[in-house]
């Protein structure tokens, strides 16, 4: 099994021509993560398009219409491995009409790479991406000051961007921000150190990603185990086995722990913890396990097993920051299905408190509906209590999605305030 510390998910964001796809292409190319035949095919396409050398952006703009327009539309996931870590990249589009794609791609990320063109500095889109990264509580942000070759690798140009970003990001809730000057096109400070910027003493991007400390990003304090299904094998050796299977959202559970079943409030002790091949003494997030208890309690999908001395707040009235994902706008007091961990209930949007203008971070009050890609603080009322934590403390038990029952489309994703 992969140690938690070895898998790093990161998302990339930047405006249209900041060189995101080139940067990812350079990372894959220089870290030798691309197959020979892929390289040959891209070299051929690059020649056809009249480029000198290899057009690195083509490694990621996988959809043909993206290649033709030279833009990234959907969230493209790329996987690569170095001896130190495995990586999953969510390459998200930069346009404002794709805010929802960025929210989707960034929701599970450990780090966000925000690209800034060294010539243009911090622009509206940079601010929007940084705001979404802080809203989604991405623990680490790396500001990649790209295209340094176009400003003659000037330290002054780099410091200017640094000052602009720091002034803006002081208003955001981000714990760890780092800056790297680079040229994705030429490969400066991406995988290899730049000889053109001896004034920069920090590590190149790949080294930063390989050594970034992420094991403390997971909530290890609040033990939360949403039950997905009840296992009753009814075969020899397991006649009386009644296990509750699911994925641990956060925290650690051990044999003998006193636990409470939410929402019923019954208590028991953990008898065994089983993984797919052996019995364990303890399990932690994000492991998938089956738990048996010492007492027979009626537990079903959607219930949550938690430690008795550390319980979430069961609540029917929740405040969330909601990103609207659907083409059709939200309807006042319309009914939706709300999904929270393995729990599904009916819910309605009771009140739209304020919308956020993503570009200026101003609040807009007295708004009646949410349109696609808009983000707002709303009050939701559910038919039965949900066992929630705030998203800042727990990204798994603090997130919800809303589904339209009529069309079965996911219409919104939300973070519990």
């Amino acid at each position: 099994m992969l140690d938690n510390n070895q898998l790093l998910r990161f998302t990339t964001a930047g405006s249209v021509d900041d060189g995101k796809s080139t940067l990812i292409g350079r990372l894959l190319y220089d870290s030798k993560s691309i197959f020979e035949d892929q390289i040959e095919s891209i070299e051929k396409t690059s020649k056809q398009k009249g480029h000198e050398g290899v057009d690195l952006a083509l490694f990621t703009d996988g959809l043909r219409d993206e290649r033709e327009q030279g833009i990234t539309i959907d969230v493209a996931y790329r996987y690569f491995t170095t001896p130190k870590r495995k990586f999953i990249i969510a390459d998200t589009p930069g346009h404002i009409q794709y805010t929802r794609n960025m929210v989707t791609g960034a929701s599970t990320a450990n780090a966000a790479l925000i690209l800034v063109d060294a010539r243009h500095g911090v622009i509206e889109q940079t601010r929007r991406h940084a705001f979404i990264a802080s809203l989604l509580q991405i623990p680490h942000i790396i500001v990649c000051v790209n295209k340094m070759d176009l400003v003659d690798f000037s330290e002054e140009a780099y410091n200017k961007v640094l000052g602009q970003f720091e002034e803006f990001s002081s208003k955001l809730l981000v714990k760890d921000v780092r800056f790297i000057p680079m040229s994705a096109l030429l490969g400066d400070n991406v995988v290899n150190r730049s000889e053109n910027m001896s004034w920069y003493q920090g590590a190149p991007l790949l080294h930063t990603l390989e050594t970034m400390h992420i094991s403390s990003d997971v909530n290890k304090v609040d033990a939360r185990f949403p039950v997905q299904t009840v296992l009753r094998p009814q075969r020899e050796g397991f006649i009386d086995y009644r296990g509750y299977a699911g994925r641990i959202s956060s925290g650690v559970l051990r044999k003998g722990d006193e636990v409470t079943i939410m929402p019923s409030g019954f208590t028991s002790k953990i008898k065994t913890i089983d993984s797919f091949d052996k019995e364990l003494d303890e399990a932690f997030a994000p492991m998938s396990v089956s738990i048996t208890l010492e007492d027979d309690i009626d537990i079903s999908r959607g219930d949550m097993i938690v430690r008795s001395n550390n319980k979430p707040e069961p609540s029917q009235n929740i405040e969330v920051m909601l990103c609207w994902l659907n083409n059709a706008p939200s309807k006042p007091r319309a009914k939706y299905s709300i999904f929270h961990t393995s729990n599904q209930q009916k819910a309605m949007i009771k009140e739209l408190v304020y919308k956020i203008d993503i570009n200026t971070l101003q609040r807009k009050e007295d708004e009646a509906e949410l349109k696609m890609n808009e983000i707002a603080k709303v009050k939701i009322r559910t038919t039965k209590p949900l066992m929630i934590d705030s998203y800042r403390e727990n990204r798994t038990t603090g997130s919800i999605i809303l589904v339209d029952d009529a069309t079965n489309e996911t219409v919104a994703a939300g973070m519990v305030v």
Side-chain angles (χ1 to χ4, degrees), residues 187-204:
D188 289 75
N189 280 340
V190 179
V191 171
N192 305 312
R193 283 196 75 98
S194 166
E195 290 171 9
N196 297 309
M197 292 180 273
S198 52
W199 46 263
Y200 172 71
Q201 295 301 309

Side-chain angles (χ1 to χ4, degrees), residues 98-378:
Y98 301 120
T99 300
R100 61 182 185 164
N101 304 54
M102 187 182 163
V103 168
T104 316
S107 58
T108 55
N110 302 93
L113 269 51
I114 296 180
L115 269 82
V116 179
D117 187 324
R119 296 167 304 172
H120 305 148
V122 171
I123 55 172
E124 200 174 87
Q125 274 176 317
T126 317
R127 288 200 278 270
R128 183 157 49 84
H129 293 144
F131 169 68
I132 292 171
S134 85
L135 186 70
L136 290 164
Q137 295 288 313
I138 298 177
H140 311 276
I141 288 181
I142 301 174
V143 181
C144 302
V145 185
N146 193 21
K147 306 200 178 180
M148 288 298 291
D149 50 316
L150 301 181
V151 292
D152 301 328
F153 301 104
S154 140
E155 186 177 2
E156 198 182 319
Y158 167 71
N159 285 336
K160 190 174 160 194
V161 175
L162 205 105
Q164 289 173 341
F165 193 90
E166 283 183 332
E167 182 189 349
F168 162 75
S169 66
S170 60
K171 302 182 193 117
L172 303 176
L173 296 162
V174 185
K175 295 178 222 141
D176 176 28
V177 183
R178 308 173 192 208
F179 297 86
I180 302 176
M182 62 177 64
S183 163
L185 191 65
L186 305 178
D188 289 75
N189 280 340
V190 179
V191 171
N192 305 312
R193 283 196 75 98
S194 166
E195 290 171 9
N196 297 309
M197 292 180 273
S198 52
W199 46 263
Y200 172 71
Q201 295 301 309
L205 177 64
L206 184 64
H207 181 76
T208 305
L209 290 169
E210 282 181 333
T211 54
M212 184 177 274
H213 181 67
I214 56 168
S215 59
S216 59
D217 296 347
V218 181
N219 179 329
K220 294 197 176 76
V221 180
D222 307 313
R224 305 282 185 262
F225 183 71
V227 175
Q228 285 184 9
T229 185
V230 181
L231 301 180
R232 302 290 307 276
Q234 301 298 344
R235 63 169 202 260
E236 211 177 312
F238 290 96
I239 296 299
D240 293 327
Y241 186 89
R242 188 191 186 93
Y244 307 104
R247 185 179 181 184
I248 300 177
S249 296
S250 59
V252 184
L253 288 169
R254 296 182 179 85
K255 259 197 223 176
D257 276 356
E258 190 163 303
V259 290
T260 299
I261 317 310
M262 310 280 288
S264 66
F266 287 115
T267 57
S268 182
K269 281 191 172 154
I270 295 179
K271 189 165 150 192
T272 62
I273 301 173
D274 301 298
S275 72
F276 66 97
D277 59 346
K278 59 177 186 285
E279 199 174 302
L280 305 169
D281 288 328
E282 64 168 31
F284 47 85
M287 289 166 68
S288 295
V289 293
S290 165
I291 287 176
T292 65
L293 301 176
E294 290 186 355
D295 305 279
D296 272 337
I297 300 173
D298 180 21
I299 300 176
S300 53
R301 179 181 169 84
D303 290 350
M304 193 182 279
I305 298 175
V306 300
R307 265 217 212 90
S308 298
N309 58 1
N310 175 344
K311 296 185 237 177
E313 251 336 289
S315 176
Q316 281 178 269
N317 292 304
I318 49 182
E319 289 196 358
V320 294
M321 294 301 290
L322 206 61
C323 175
W324 198 256
L325 312 174
N326 202 307
N327 293 319
S330 66
K331 303 181 207 61
R333 304 188 83 76
K335 298 273 194 311
Y336 298 99
S337 281
I338 186 168
F339 287 80
H340 171 260
T341 63
S342 57
N343 199 339
Q344 179 188 351
Q345 304 290 347
K346 293 278 180 272
M348 83 175 182
I349 299 176
K350 217 167 63 168
E351 186 192 336
L352 201 160
V353 185
Y354 57 78
K355 267 194 222 174
I356 289 184
D357 182 328
I358 309 184
N359 299 321
T360 60
L361 303 193
Q362 301 293 323
R363 296 178 176 187
K364 297 191 284 189
E365 290 168 10
D366 303 322
E367 298 270 338
E369 59 176 26
L370 265 172
K371 298 189 188 73
M372 187 160 91
N373 292 317
E374 290 188 323
I375 292 177
K377 184 177 182 179
V378 300

